[in-house]
């Protein structure tokens, strides 16, 4: 009887919170800051839980979804606190990995910022895509297999496994991306296009290699690459020898041109940074002979 009450009261409390939130908007701010879980002085607020629970779970059973998230949060915090007591954060391996992750995040966010500030130069008009097609139309036959696929990249393996589970369950692809992807908008856009198999997901070599062997609707295993977890599913394919329709081809060309513009802008920006650092004598780089001598020692 006691265990039933322990489960009943948290559920009742969360139910009341959700009802109040839906009916009493002036009190929303106070309720958002309501603490629903706490571990060693670290608090989880109602608002933080709402923001982190996938939308489809909130729609199915919001109370139990929030309670499950709060329970997972508590378990995580208990582990984190134990790791701190063991002094793991002071280990050299931890500091090295932390520094590497921070550097990768800085570089990644710099590239995002470069593209955000040049968004007008990246857009591709239909006329621009048509002009490209007319200039190179002899090249636009299916001289290789073209594929359409769903690719998701996540920060954790748990997110990748959850995404795989949701794919099996038939959850909407856009919902899965919003819940787990590190770049949902890009990966949603990618999933609407056909790609030459030689160009498909080439930025993630193990995924690109796995894609070649997949059949329609088949999913890859979860691959770890560049500190991210990746999963791909083959959706459709057009075989060698088929001829593409123009209405199908123009969006593909637009996407390819957009990606090429993004690469050109980003690479140009980074190249200028390198040249500037070089002119300011900020770079020291061993030549080939020096490296050979080091290897010979």
């Amino acid at each position: 009887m006691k265990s039933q009450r322990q489960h009943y009261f948290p559920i009742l409390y969360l139910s009341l919170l959700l009802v109040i939130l839906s009916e009493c908007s002036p009190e929303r701010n106070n309720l958002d800051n309501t603490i629903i879980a706490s571990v060693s002085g670290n608090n989880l607020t109602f608002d933080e839980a709402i923001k982190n629970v996938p939308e489809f779970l909130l729609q199915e059973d919001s109370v139990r979804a929030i309670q499950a998230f709060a329970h997972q949060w508590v378990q995580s915090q208990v582990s984190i606190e134990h790791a701190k007591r063991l002094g793991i954060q002071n280990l050299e391996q931890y500091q090295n990995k932390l520094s590497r992750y921070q550097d990768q995040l800085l570089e990644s966010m710099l590239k995002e910022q470069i593209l955000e500030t040049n968004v007008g130069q990246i857009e591709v008009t239909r006329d621009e895509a048509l002009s490209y097609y007319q200039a190179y139309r002899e090249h636009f036959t299916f001289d290789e297999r073209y594929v359409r696929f769903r690719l998701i990249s996540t920060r954790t393996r748990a997110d990748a496994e959850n995404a795989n589970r949701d794919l099996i369950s038939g959850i909407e692809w856009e919902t899965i991306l919003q819940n787990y992807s590190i770049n949902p908008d890009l990966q949603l856009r990618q999933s609407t296009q056909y790609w030459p198999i030689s160009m498909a997901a080439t930025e993630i070599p193990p995924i690109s290699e796995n894609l070649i062997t997949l059949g329609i609707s088949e999913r890859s295993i979860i691959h770890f690459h560049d500190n991210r977890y990746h999963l791909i599913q083959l959706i459709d394919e057009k075989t060698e020898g088929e001829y593409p329709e123009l209405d199908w081809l123009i969006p593909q060309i637009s996407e390819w041109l957009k990606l090429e513009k993004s690469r050109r802008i980003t690479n140009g920006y980074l190249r200028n940074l390198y040249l500037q650092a070089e002119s300011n004598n900020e770079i020291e780089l061993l030549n080939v002979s020096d490296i050979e001598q080091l290897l010979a020692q």
Side-chain angles (χ1 to χ4, degrees), residues 68-81:
F69 177 80
H71 182 68
Q72 292 173 357
W73 181 88
V74 167
Q75 288 184 319
S76 177
Q77 291 299 311
V78 168
S79 298
I80 291 170
E81 289 301 315

PDB file of all heavy atoms in Angstrom, residues 68-81:
ATOM      1  N   ALA A  68       8.570  10.210 -15.920  1.00  0.00           N
ATOM      2  CA  ALA A  68       9.656   9.351 -16.399  1.00  0.00           C
ATOM      3  C   ALA A  68      10.917  10.165 -16.648  1.00  0.00           C
ATOM      4  O   ALA A  68      12.027   9.732 -16.307  1.00  0.00           O
ATOM      5  CB  ALA A  68       9.227   8.640 -17.685  1.00  0.00           C
ATOM      6  N   PHE A  69      10.760  11.362 -17.240  1.00  0.00           N
ATOM      7  CA  PHE A  69      11.928  12.213 -17.462  1.00  0.00           C
ATOM      8  C   PHE A  69      12.549  12.620 -16.142  1.00  0.00           C
ATOM      9  O   PHE A  69      13.782  12.632 -15.994  1.00  0.00           O
ATOM     10  CB  PHE A  69      11.531  13.456 -18.259  1.00  0.00           C
ATOM     11  CG  PHE A  69      12.683  14.404 -18.468  1.00  0.00           C
ATOM     12  CD1 PHE A  69      13.628  14.171 -19.468  1.00  0.00           C
ATOM     13  CD2 PHE A  69      12.854  15.511 -17.642  1.00  0.00           C
ATOM     14  CE1 PHE A  69      14.705  15.028 -19.641  1.00  0.00           C
ATOM     15  CE2 PHE A  69      13.937  16.375 -17.806  1.00  0.00           C
ATOM     16  CZ  PHE A  69      14.862  16.128 -18.811  1.00  0.00           C
ATOM     17  N   ALA A  70      11.720  12.990 -15.162  1.00  0.00           N
ATOM     18  CA  ALA A  70      12.239  13.396 -13.852  1.00  0.00           C
ATOM     19  C   ALA A  70      13.009  12.242 -13.202  1.00  0.00           C
ATOM     20  O   ALA A  70      14.067  12.458 -12.592  1.00  0.00           O
ATOM     21  CB  ALA A  70      11.094  13.841 -12.952  1.00  0.00           C
ATOM     22  N   HIS A  71      12.497  11.026 -13.355  1.00  0.00           N
ATOM     23  CA  HIS A  71      13.185   9.862 -12.789  1.00  0.00           C
ATOM     24  C   HIS A  71      14.534   9.649 -13.471  1.00  0.00           C
ATOM     25  O   HIS A  71      15.546   9.398 -12.792  1.00  0.00           O
ATOM     26  CB  HIS A  71      12.305   8.624 -12.962  1.00  0.00           C
ATOM     27  CG  HIS A  71      12.900   7.374 -12.364  1.00  0.00           C
ATOM     28  ND1 HIS A  71      13.063   7.182 -11.020  1.00  0.00           N
ATOM     29  CD2 HIS A  71      13.392   6.249 -12.972  1.00  0.00           C
ATOM     30  CE1 HIS A  71      13.620   6.008 -10.803  1.00  0.00           C
ATOM     31  NE2 HIS A  71      13.830   5.422 -11.971  1.00  0.00           N
ATOM     32  N   GLN A  72      14.568   9.772 -14.799  1.00  0.00           N
ATOM     33  CA  GLN A  72      15.835   9.639 -15.526  1.00  0.00           C
ATOM     34  C   GLN A  72      16.810  10.740 -15.126  1.00  0.00           C
ATOM     35  O   GLN A  72      18.011  10.494 -14.987  1.00  0.00           O
ATOM     36  CB  GLN A  72      15.573   9.699 -17.032  1.00  0.00           C
ATOM     37  CG  GLN A  72      14.818   8.495 -17.564  1.00  0.00           C
ATOM     38  CD  GLN A  72      14.420   8.666 -19.024  1.00  0.00           C
ATOM     39  OE1 GLN A  72      14.655   9.713 -19.626  1.00  0.00           O
ATOM     40  NE2 GLN A  72      13.799   7.651 -19.606  1.00  0.00           N
ATOM     41  N   TRP A  73      16.282  11.942 -14.942  1.00  0.00           N
ATOM     42  CA  TRP A  73      17.124  13.073 -14.531  1.00  0.00           C
ATOM     43  C   TRP A  73      17.749  12.799 -13.167  1.00  0.00           C
ATOM     44  O   TRP A  73      18.945  13.055 -12.954  1.00  0.00           O
ATOM     45  CB  TRP A  73      16.282  14.346 -14.483  1.00  0.00           C
ATOM     46  CG  TRP A  73      17.052  15.582 -14.093  1.00  0.00           C
ATOM     47  CD1 TRP A  73      17.731  16.418 -14.915  1.00  0.00           C
ATOM     48  CD2 TRP A  73      17.225  16.106 -12.759  1.00  0.00           C
ATOM     49  NE1 TRP A  73      18.323  17.434 -14.195  1.00  0.00           N
ATOM     50  CE2 TRP A  73      18.034  17.267 -12.868  1.00  0.00           C
ATOM     51  CE3 TRP A  73      16.778  15.705 -11.502  1.00  0.00           C
ATOM     52  CZ2 TRP A  73      18.393  18.036 -11.769  1.00  0.00           C
ATOM     53  CZ3 TRP A  73      17.142  16.461 -10.395  1.00  0.00           C
ATOM     54  CH2 TRP A  73      17.942  17.608 -10.530  1.00  0.00           C
ATOM     55  N   VAL A  74      16.955  12.282 -12.241  1.00  0.00           N
ATOM     56  CA  VAL A  74      17.464  11.959 -10.901  1.00  0.00           C
ATOM     57  C   VAL A  74      18.568  10.914 -10.992  1.00  0.00           C
ATOM     58  O   VAL A  74      19.630  11.046 -10.365  1.00  0.00           O
ATOM     59  CB  VAL A  74      16.322  11.474  -9.984  1.00  0.00           C
ATOM     60  CG1 VAL A  74      16.887  10.832  -8.713  1.00  0.00           C
ATOM     61  CG2 VAL A  74      15.407  12.634  -9.622  1.00  0.00           C
ATOM     62  N   GLN A  75      18.338   9.854 -11.767  1.00  0.00           N
ATOM     63  CA  GLN A  75      19.360   8.815 -11.921  1.00  0.00           C
ATOM     64  C   GLN A  75      20.654   9.395 -12.482  1.00  0.00           C
ATOM     65  O   GLN A  75      21.746   9.067 -12.033  1.00  0.00           O
ATOM     66  CB  GLN A  75      18.845   7.705 -12.841  1.00  0.00           C
ATOM     67  CG  GLN A  75      17.779   6.819 -12.215  1.00  0.00           C
ATOM     68  CD  GLN A  75      17.371   5.682 -13.132  1.00  0.00           C
ATOM     69  OE1 GLN A  75      17.223   5.874 -14.337  1.00  0.00           O
ATOM     70  NE2 GLN A  75      17.192   4.497 -12.568  1.00  0.00           N
ATOM     71  N   SER A  76      20.527  10.267 -13.475  1.00  0.00           N
ATOM     72  CA  SER A  76      21.698  10.903 -14.078  1.00  0.00           C
ATOM     73  C   SER A  76      22.438  11.765 -13.067  1.00  0.00           C
ATOM     74  O   SER A  76      23.675  11.713 -12.967  1.00  0.00           O
ATOM     75  CB  SER A  76      21.266  11.747 -15.283  1.00  0.00           C
ATOM     76  OG  SER A  76      22.370  12.418 -15.842  1.00  0.00           O
ATOM     77  N   GLN A  77      21.707  12.568 -12.307  1.00  0.00           N
ATOM     78  CA  GLN A  77      22.331  13.440 -11.319  1.00  0.00           C
ATOM     79  C   GLN A  77      23.031  12.650 -10.218  1.00  0.00           C
ATOM     80  O   GLN A  77      24.103  13.041  -9.745  1.00  0.00           O
ATOM     81  CB  GLN A  77      21.279  14.375 -10.696  1.00  0.00           C
ATOM     82  CG  GLN A  77      20.729  15.417 -11.639  1.00  0.00           C
ATOM     83  CD  GLN A  77      21.813  16.347 -12.153  1.00  0.00           C
ATOM     84  OE1 GLN A  77      22.603  16.886 -11.379  1.00  0.00           O
ATOM     85  NE2 GLN A  77      21.848  16.545 -13.465  1.00  0.00           N
ATOM     86  N   VAL A  78      22.435  11.531  -9.819  1.00  0.00           N
ATOM     87  CA  VAL A  78      23.069  10.676  -8.814  1.00  0.00           C
ATOM     88  C   VAL A  78      24.414  10.160  -9.336  1.00  0.00           C
ATOM     89  O   VAL A  78      25.422  10.152  -8.624  1.00  0.00           O
ATOM     90  CB  VAL A  78      22.146   9.502  -8.432  1.00  0.00           C
ATOM     91  CG1 VAL A  78      22.903   8.456  -7.610  1.00  0.00           C
ATOM     92  CG2 VAL A  78      20.946  10.017  -7.642  1.00  0.00           C
ATOM     93  N   SER A  79      24.439   9.733 -10.614  1.00  0.00           N
ATOM     94  CA  SER A  79      25.682   9.259 -11.227  1.00  0.00           C
ATOM     95  C   SER A  79      26.714  10.377 -11.317  1.00  0.00           C
ATOM     96  O   SER A  79      27.900  10.176 -11.038  1.00  0.00           O
ATOM     97  CB  SER A  79      25.398   8.709 -12.629  1.00  0.00           C
ATOM     98  OG  SER A  79      24.532   7.600 -12.570  1.00  0.00           O
ATOM     99  N   ILE A  80      26.267  11.564 -11.726  1.00  0.00           N
ATOM    100  CA  ILE A  80      27.179  12.705 -11.857  1.00  0.00           C
ATOM    101  C   ILE A  80      27.780  13.074 -10.509  1.00  0.00           C
ATOM    102  O   ILE A  80      28.990  13.316 -10.398  1.00  0.00           O
ATOM    103  CB  ILE A  80      26.437  13.914 -12.469  1.00  0.00           C
ATOM    104  CG1 ILE A  80      26.087  13.629 -13.929  1.00  0.00           C
ATOM    105  CG2 ILE A  80      27.283  15.183 -12.356  1.00  0.00           C
ATOM    106  CD1 ILE A  80      25.160  14.648 -14.541  1.00  0.00           C
ATOM    107  N   GLU A  81      26.947  13.115  -9.480  1.00  0.00           N
ATOM    108  CA  GLU A  81      27.443  13.453  -8.141  1.00  0.00           C
ATOM    109  C   GLU A  81      28.447  12.409  -7.644  1.00  0.00           C
ATOM    110  O   GLU A  81      29.458  12.745  -7.021  1.00  0.00           O
ATOM    111  CB  GLU A  81      26.272  13.577  -7.166  1.00  0.00           C
ATOM    112  CG  GLU A  81      25.405  14.796  -7.383  1.00  0.00           C
ATOM    113  CD  GLU A  81      26.200  16.087  -7.262  1.00  0.00           C
ATOM    114  OE1 GLU A  81      26.991  16.221  -6.311  1.00  0.00           O
ATOM    115  OE2 GLU A  81      26.047  16.950  -8.146  1.00  0.00           O
TER     116      GLU A  81
END
